Amino acid sequence: MVAHPDPSLSVPSDPEGLARGLHRKASAAPRADRGRWLSARELDILTAVAEAALPPGRFLEGAGRDTAEATHRYLSDIPREAIRVFQGSLWAVELSTLPTKRRPFSELSVEDRLAALRRFERSRVLPVREIVRVLLTPLKAMHFDRPEMFRHVGCRYELETVRDEKPRWMARVTDGREVDTDLDLECEVVVVGTGAGGAAAAYELASRGRAVLLLEEGHYHRRSSFNGRPSRAFGNLYRDKGMTVALGNVNIPVWAGRAVGGSTVINSGTCYRAPARTFAYWRDHHGLPRDFSPEGLGPYYERVEAMLGVAPANPLHLGKIAGIIARGAEHLGLRHHAITRNAPDCDGQGICCFGCPTGAKRSTDVSYVPAALAHGAELVTAARVDFVDIVAGRARGVTATLGAERTKGRAPRLRVRADAVVVAGGTLMTPLLLRRSGACLSSGMLGKNLSIHPASKVMALFDERVDQWNGIPQGYSIDQFAEEGLLFEGGSLPFDVAALGVPWSGPRYVEVMEKYPYLATFGFMIQDHSRGEVRTGPGGRPLLFYRMNERDTRLLQRGVEILCDVFQAAGARRVLPFVAGHDEVSTKEALARLRSSRIQPSDIEVTAYHPLGTCRIGTNPARSCLGPDHEAHDVAGLYVCDGSAIPSSLGVNPQMTIMAMALRAAEILHQRLG
């Protein structure tokens, strides 16, 4: 779990109705003009929103036309259904004041506009609140994404670009954007995806002498791409600019990577082995063998830890937030410690979630993928796999489109013939590929059983400087409540990302942002029992549905309460959980009121980082898509080695478990290939 907040366009509720509308409209009107997709009137409305929501402070400039124009440019390549949502939100705000003011929003005074925005913000009706969130999130992102704003609070805006090295194994990488003709290739195993599961499986097979071809939809971004700017990272490294949202009784952004390295490139580097209670649940409820236990997977975990250089975070780079949390936890008698991470040479740049600029974080783009290539594997990037080719009930290869982002002419096709296919496109994309291919359909479970590790955060203002941009963003933990399914992990935020995490507007919002050097952030996630599903949405993108149940809602509330208590015990001047009706919990009396309340799922700011389970393993073909060996029940030679194969929520960050299970599955596949 990482604790950066939502930089996405959220969407109103009524998910079933929205889904029908999106499917209905997807083939309708022609593609919007990406240069000017807002009309002049709509840009005026957006400017009026920016002026009211982001006024000038004591030293931070206010927003206006420039911010609106920057937002317009940044969102110019978003999906057209998201454009419709954004435009609809603009007009909902513009027309909202007609009944009471007899004038549209954009013609009101700044004070009246701010009052109108606050009515949206304070509504207890989720779709109403989401209207303003849709507009303010990108406005805030663009307003604070300027060097002068960073200078005002005394922190660094971006890093210098470094020069990329050219190791020998890069000769085994083909950029699909540079291919002009159709290709036919042949290998023993084709691996779709280069994240935690795909890269580990490819390495294991290549190191055993197998002819392996890796295919990746995204690009191979080297260190020169990682300049620390979130706005650049969202466009380059995140699927759909981070705009994937699980729709339900609370709309939850769900993050996924799209690059060589997958989500390991944008995660926090946190490394845990799955707890014994989770393995016991798998054996009891899914009939899995003893291979799935701390002892059974232990040797594979050890190999992963050796490859990634897993060790406790260096105390020199934990940042001041670690001392604050340690102080509060110690006062309350809670167990706390540094987190184990896959970054042995970390120097605390503080931007793990936007690509590690030093290569210290051992994401698969700098660990398993290069190791696989060094052992003879090949990699083709910008290769979107359209189908797994199935002949007589057996996977025989894949068909892919190369450089699909081109705008002129037909993109070339890649056809791969293989003895076995490993699909590792991630929990969101794997079920879509398998459904297009007619695979894993016999149980009816494909795309279902989605768990996401819902996460939230609490912020606090201190008299002492925190300078949360310095140090490891997720380097410290409170694990006192881990057996309850509640794990606290740090979440320090860069200035412009912190701006997205404060769901306010107006002067009180700017006041908090001007105190950014004194602002602390810490997060937590829950081992969820709620479940959702992934369907095919417009343009082939994943469409997520997830409804949070009562148990998980109470656990989220408990997490917020504990963090408020920790920050109070640490001496915070103001504690800001941003829970509806409980924006500020800075006193024991306010904390008691929060504890006595019964908040709803939509009252909490929730994000998610670990989607799992949409193609789960199991022994019963009627309740699972894959066997314990990761081979599909209904298609021979088809293996799935990513988070979608995980049977249930882990309760800890999943990358090590995905890798360990992928190594085991690759061993089995190697033996079967003879």
Side-chain angles (χ1 to χ4, degrees), residues 661-673:
M661 291 173 62
L663 294 180
R664 174 182 173 275
E667 275 189 0
I668 294 171
L669 174 54
H670 168 70
Q671 293 164 3
R672 290 179 180 174
L673 288 172

Side-chain angles (χ1 to χ4, degrees), residues 9-274:
L9 293 182
S10 189
V11 294
S13 288
D14 184 20
E16 297 289 347
L18 177 62
R20 288 193 296 271
L22 295 183
H23 282 295
R24 186 167 59 249
K25 295 176 182 177
S27 59
R31 187 174 177 85
D33 177 0
R34 290 305 189 232
R36 303 297 300 179
W37 57 275
L38 288 180
S39 68
R41 173 72 186 281
E42 288 168 337
L43 201 55
D44 288 341
I45 300 170
L46 188 59
T47 300
V49 172
E51 290 171 346
L54 305 171
R58 291 185 300 111
F59 54 82
L60 289 178
E61 295 92 345
R65 191 71 171 194
D66 288 348
T67 298
E69 290 278 9
T71 302
H72 189 200
R73 290 191 298 271
Y74 181 70
L75 298 179
S76 63
D77 60 350
I78 64 175
R80 58 186 170 186
E81 59 272 12
I83 283 178
R84 293 190 183 97
V85 170
F86 193 89
Q87 290 172 314
S89 299
L90 273 175
W91 285 105
V93 170
E94 175 74 344
L95 302 177
S96 67
T97 57
L98 286 177
T100 56
K101 298 292 185 180
R102 308 299 185 197
R103 295 166 64 192
F105 176 89
S106 59
E107 295 181 8
L108 300 178
S109 67
V110 172
E111 292 75 16
D112 285 344
R113 277 182 262 156
L114 180 57
L117 291 178
R118 284 184 173 168
R119 284 193 291 273
F120 280 91
E121 287 179 4
R122 292 170 177 172
S123 172
R124 299 305 295 268
V125 180
L126 176 62
V128 175
R129 290 206 309 276
E130 294 287 68
I131 288 171
V132 170
R133 187 183 187 190
V134 163
L135 303 178
L136 293 190
T137 298
L139 280 171
K140 290 176 179 178
M142 292 298 99
H143 183 57
F144 286 92
D145 185 21
R146 294 182 289 152
E148 60 269 28
M149 300 297 272
F150 280 66
R151 284 196 296 269
H152 285 318
V153 293
C155 57
R156 177 191 61 203
Y157 176 68
E158 65 181 341
L159 304 177
E160 292 184 9
T161 301
V162 300
R163 187 177 65 181
D164 291 325
E165 300 174 350
K166 293 184 178 179
R168 282 185 190 174
W169 47 261
M170 281 298 295
R172 309 188 73 85
V173 179
T174 299
D175 188 339
R177 295 170 296 181
E178 299 175 357
V179 177
D180 296 322
T181 60
D182 292 348
L183 292 179
D184 290 284
L185 300 176
E186 193 168 344
C187 61
E188 286 184 285
V189 184
V190 57
V191 179
V192 180
T194 58
Y203 163 75
E204 185 65 22
L205 290 162
S207 67
R208 292 171 178 265
R210 297 296 177 183
V212 176
L213 175 64
L214 280 154
L215 301 180
E216 170 57 52
E217 181 185 6
H219 306 310
Y220 206 151
H221 296 282
R222 309 299 305 288
R223 284 176 56 190
S224 61
S225 295
F226 303 150
N227 68 346
R229 298 305 314 126
S231 57
R232 181 175 178 180
F234 289 137
N236 290 343
L237 306 176
Y238 285 71
R239 181 165 296 281
D240 291 330
K241 279 191 171 180
M243 293 192 295
T244 302
V245 178
L247 307 174
N249 57 348
V250 54
N251 296 335
I252 306 174
V254 181
W255 307 90
R258 183 177 177 266
V260 172
S263 296
T264 70
V265 177
I266 59 169
N267 71 17
S268 58
T270 298
C271 291
Y272 283 107
R273 297 188 182 194

Side-chain angles (χ1 to χ4, degrees), residues 274-488:
R277 68 177 186 278
T278 299
F279 290 126
Y281 178 84
W282 292 359
R283 294 194 299 273
D284 294 342
H285 289 77
H286 300 285
L288 295 184
R290 294 288 302 180
D291 288 8
F292 296 94
S293 66
E295 298 75 26
L297 279 183
Y300 300 101
Y301 277 127
E302 290 173 3
R303 287 159 56 186
V304 170
E305 289 163 348
M307 172 65 82
L308 302 187
V310 173
N314 188 332
L316 293 176
H317 303 302
L318 288 177
K320 293 182 180 178
I321 184 65
I324 288 170
I325 294 300
R327 188 167 70 223
E330 198 69 26
H331 183 80
L332 297 174
L334 306 179
R335 189 170 59 246
H336 55 93
H337 54 79
I339 287 175
T340 53
R341 307 178 69 244
N342 62 338
D345 299 315
C346 178
D347 61 356
Q349 295 284 343
I351 48 177
C352 305
C353 300
F354 311 111
C356 179
T358 64
K361 186 180 74 173
R362 300 280 292 164
S363 46
T364 61
D365 59 313
V366 298
S367 56
Y368 276 113
V369 169
L373 297 175
H375 280 89
E378 300 277 348
L379 167 63
V380 180
T381 64
R384 186 193 67 209
V385 176
D386 301 308
F387 304 100
V388 176
D389 298 322
I390 300 172
V391 180
R394 185 173 189 87
R396 294 294 186 182
V398 301
T399 299
T401 301
L402 295 177
E405 295 162 357
R406 66 186 69 197
T407 57
K408 295 182 180 179
R410 180 182 73 82
R413 303 300 293 268
L414 168 64
R415 294 177 179 86
V416 181
R417 291 191 296 274
D419 298 324
V421 176
V422 173
V423 176
T427 298
L428 306 186
M429 301 305 292
T430 286
L432 306 189
L433 170 59
L434 296 178
R435 190 171 297 281
R436 291 196 302 270
S437 307
C440 295
L441 301 178
S442 57
S443 68
M445 293 301 300
L446 184 65
K448 301 184 185 300
N449 191 51
L450 173 68
S451 67
I452 58 176
H453 281 168
S456 193
K457 68 179 186 307
V458 174
M459 291 180 168
L461 283 165
F462 286 82
D463 291 331
E464 63 189 281
R465 289 184 67 99
V466 178
D467 296 335
Q468 63 174 309
W469 65 87
N470 282 326
I472 299 167
Q474 188 169 298
Y476 212 72
S477 174
I478 298 172
D479 67 355
Q480 181 79 27
F481 310 96
E483 289 300 313
E484 300 177 29
L486 187 57
L487 184 61
F488 295 86

